[in-house]
C-alpha cells in the first residue's frame, strides 16, 4: 500500500499518494493505535509516538520550516523506540514498542522524504528494529503426543500443540502425524505452522514481517 514512499527515487506523486494512504490507514485505526501506544511503559516513547500519530494528519498544511522540524522530531522518536526494543523487561512491552515502531516509523520516513531529507539511515533503523521484533516475539511451541488416544496398531498419533508468545498471547490446536509409541516422534514444522502463525499474528511480529517485505535491506 505504501511501497511508493520507500522505493528509491520515488516520484513526488508516489510520495504524495503514500502519505495519503498512511494518513488514511492511521485514521481508520487511530483509537486502537493510540490505546496500544498509551500502554508503552516508557513515557517518553509513548508521548512522542502519540504526538506523531495525532499531528501526521495535518502534514499537508505544514510550512516547509515546520515540516523539517517536525520530520527531525519524528526521526528522534523512532530512534528512541528502536533503541528500547530488546531492553525492556517483558515481551508484552516489546510488543507494544513494535506497534509504536511500525506506526511512527512510516510516519517519520514519509515526513523526512517530504521535507527533502535522506531516508536511508532511518529505514535501516526501522529494519533493524523489526528484525529484533521478529526474533524476540517468536512463539515458543510445545508438542504433546496423546499416546493414550492412539488406537492399537495405528501408525498415526494426535498431537496437542500450544504456541505461546507471552502470557495471554496463545494459540493451540491438534494435529495428526505419523508416529508410534516407543519410537522417536518427528513432527515437521509445516504440520503446526498454522498454529505458530496464529500466535504470531496476535502480536506486532506480524506487522514487523510485513514491514520487512516493504523495506528490505
Amino acid at each position: 500500500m505504501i511501497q511508493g514512499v520507500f522505493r528509491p527515487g520515488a516520484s513526488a506523486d508516489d510520495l504524495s499518494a503514500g502519505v495519503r494512504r498512511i494518513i488514511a490507514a492511521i485514521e481508520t485505526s487511530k483509537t486502537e493505535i493510540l490505546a496500544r501506544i498509551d500502554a508503552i511503559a516508557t513515557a517518553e516513547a509513548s508521548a512522542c509516538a502519540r504526538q506523531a500519530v495525532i499531528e501526521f494528519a495535518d502534514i499537508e498544511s505544514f510550512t516547509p520550516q515546520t515540516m523539517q522540524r517536525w520530520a527531525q522530531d519524528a526521526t528522534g522518536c523512532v530512534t528512541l523506540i528502536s533503541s528500547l526494543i530488546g531492553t525492556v523487561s517483558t515481551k508484552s512491552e516489546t510488543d507494544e514498542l513494535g506497534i509504536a515502531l511500525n506506526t511512527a516509523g512510516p510516519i517519520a520516513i514519509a515526513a523526512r522524504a517530504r521535507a527533502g531529507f535522506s531516508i536511508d539511515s532511518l529505514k535501516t533503523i526501522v529494519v533493524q528494529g523489526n528484525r529484533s521484533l521478529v526474533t524476540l516475539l517468536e512463539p515458543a511451541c510445545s508438542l504433546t503426543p496423546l499416546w493414550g488416544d492412539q488406537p492399537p496398531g495405528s501408525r498415526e498419533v494426535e498431537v496437542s500443540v500450544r504456541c505461546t508468545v507471552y502470557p495471554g498471547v496463545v494459540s493451540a490446536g491438534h494435529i495428526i502425524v505419523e508416529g508410534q509409541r516407543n519410537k522417536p516422534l518427528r513432527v515437521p514444522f509445516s504440520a503446526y505452522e498454522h498454529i505458530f502463525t496464529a500466535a504470531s499474528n496476535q502480536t506486532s511480529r506480524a506487522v514487523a514481517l510485513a514491514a520487512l517485505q516493504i523495506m528490505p535491506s
Side-chain angles (χ1 to χ4, degrees), residues 4-5 10-20 109-115:
V5 177
S11 68
D13 287 344
D14 287 335
L15 176 59
S16 294
V19 168
R20 288 194 298 271
I109 291 171
R112 288 185 66 83
R114 190 62 170 272

Side-chain angles (χ1 to χ4, degrees), residues 122-141:
L122 183 58
K123 282 172 58 178
T124 297
I125 289 173
V126 175
V127 167
Q128 291 172 343
N130 277 316
R131 284 178 177 167
S132 296
L133 285 170
V134 169
T135 299
L136 293 169
L137 296 177
E138 180 175 344
C141 298

Side-chain angles (χ1 to χ4, degrees), residues 33-119:
I33 290 171
L34 291 175
R36 295 292 299 272
I37 288 174
D38 285 345
I40 298 174
T42 305
E44 187 177 358
S46 175
C48 74
R50 167 176 272 274
Q51 179 180 357
V53 170
I54 292 172
E55 293 185 346
F56 188 62
D58 298 320
I59 192 173
E60 301 285 357
S61 63
F62 286 176
T63 65
Q65 184 177 15
T66 299
M67 184 73 260
Q68 290 183 346
R69 184 174 63 252
W70 194 83
Q72 290 174 320
D73 290 343
T75 299
C77 180
V78 174
T79 301
L80 171 64
I81 292 167
S82 182
S83 72
L84 292 172
I85 295 173
T87 68
V88 291
S89 58
T90 68
K91 287 192 175 184
S92 62
E93 290 175 308
T94 300
D95 191 13
E96 304 302 345
L97 287 170
I99 295 294
L101 176 70
N102 286 297
T103 302
I107 287 174
I109 291 171
R112 288 185 66 83
R114 190 62 170 272
F117 295 155
S118 64
I119 63 173

